Amino acid sequence: MSSTPVIGVLALQGDVREHLIALAAADAVARPVRRPEELAEVDGLVVPGGESTTISKLAELFGLMGPVRERIAAGMPVYGTCAGLIMLADKILDPRSGQETFGGIDMIVRRNAFGRQNDSFEAGVTVTGIDTPSRASSSVPRGWSPSVPRSRCSPSTTATSSPSARARPSRPPSTPSSPATTASTSCSWTWCARNGDTIPVGSLGFVQEVGYAKETGRCPATLNGLRRSTRRP
Amino acid sequence: MSTTPSTTFQSPETGTARVKRGMAEQLKGGVIMDVVNAEQAKIAEDAGAVAVMALERVPADIRKDGGVARMSDPNMIEEIIGAVSIPVMAKSRIGHFVEAQVLQSLGVDYIDESEVLTPADEINHSDKWAFTTPFVCGATNLGEALRRIAEGAAMIRSKGEAGTGNVVEAVRHLRQIKNEIAKLRGFDNNELFAAAKELRAPYELVKEVAELGKLPVVLFSAGGVATPADAALMRQLGAEGVFVGSGIFKSGDPAKRAAAIVKATTFYDDPKVIADASRNLGEAMVGINCDTLPESERYANRGW
């Protein structure tokens, strides 16, 4: 426990640089992961935002799908933002045909639940457990109102997994089951950790709740670092 | 562990600069491929493309056929949208804001106000702030990039020379943009005003670039990428991703070449992977030497 854990950032496509910067700002040792050998050298993995169809395709093409699943099943902590959320869901609705995820979190995510790019929006977000309201963007249809049950949106924004908290040994992750966490309609954030003053704060609430911190004692620093470093002057 | 965090949204706004620019952020590190039908779009998606550009003819054919190149048939665009789950982009002519309105109404995810099509207005580009659909525009230098961003572009691609299969202009334009950004970094506040005047770009944007050391939007490279090594070259030169137009579907084995270019884009700093990706790809597109192109056929000169 004395040596600093190494956190990998899945570097197939998407917001790789931003997550590496955020982790470094939180004094984590962070490095990109594109190959199975690189995965073997990290203690935890961040799956960044990006295009989820592509990330899943590239994970298959470059031989990472199996190894990442195995590591998650074996207890490696993982953290997902945006497309990373989709990749960590045990089940996705409306996937590309045959689209696979890493899984690890017992929840369902619906891709593009609220429409295409034209329907994407930004809004103020207040999340229980986070002091300051923040701006975030998501894909929600025009006319959608906050009267939608709150629980539909919050947990799905991003996710983390640790073996005792959520991950079950039963694979494959895409097996339709009755998920304990029904994060069914995704507010899949289209805004990831850069260019603004926030990362999707809903995710932080969920991460804190799931208990990566409880497992390792490292989480709060990382999260605070993420929040701090994504603020811009 | 039992309390569910609650989330509330206040006054959602669509089409903001952040939402539009954020869309391009998702595409970083990826390859965007020109496709002319649903079948090609599927091949691109299966190869790991991050988005497709729906157009009626790839630039190489536009060059060959001549005549006026316009927005594509809405049926064709809709078929492509229906065929893939990755984002779909489509091109409007420069200044043809009605084509852009049509594309927005079709639900495309990004509009490319493109010099590859015949310009509809030789003075004005479209007002891109007027749209909820984000725009990508080409640029040959920093001033041009910032003028497009000032007009509302949410993503920039260096222009290169589309439809040539020759990467020389892509390199020239990307280097030009990166060099001009590097120069700005060295300027003090007094110098930024004159720099803005010289760049013919808004001072606020020039100042932002000087502070960030990069454009305030994602920068891809386009125009002439035909091989895995070309794509990796553009990434090593600082492009955040690449557009590949004619290079894939004018080649001998499009599916294989598409996958190879994607792989080289992801592993752009690993020559061994690029070497493997480059093996037995079949014939590359023939290519054109750009210095033999008459001025009137240089697409990069369109837009200003």
Side-chain angles (χ1 to χ4, degrees), chain A residues 13 35 116 118 128 194 209, chain B residues 3 6 25-26 109 270:
Chain A
Q13 186 269 317
R35 304 171 174 84
R116 300 186 71 89
N118 273 338
T128 306
R194 81 156 295 237
E209 185 178 11
Chain B
T3 53
S6 60
E25 299 284 345
Q26 286 184 37
D109 298 298
D270 186 334

Side-chain angles (χ1 to χ4, degrees), chain A residues 2-16:
Chain A
S2 58
S3 65
T4 313
V6 177
I7 307 299
V9 175
L10 189 70
L12 298 176
Q13 186 269 317
D15 290 318
V16 178

Side-chain angles (χ1 to χ4, degrees), chain A residues 32-56:
Chain A
V33 168
R34 289 179 293 185
R35 304 171 174 84
E37 311 88 87
E38 291 162 349
L39 177 68
E41 289 169 4
V42 300
D43 302 302
L45 185 70
V46 171
V47 186
E51 170 51 44
S52 73
T53 309
T54 305
I55 290 177
S56 111

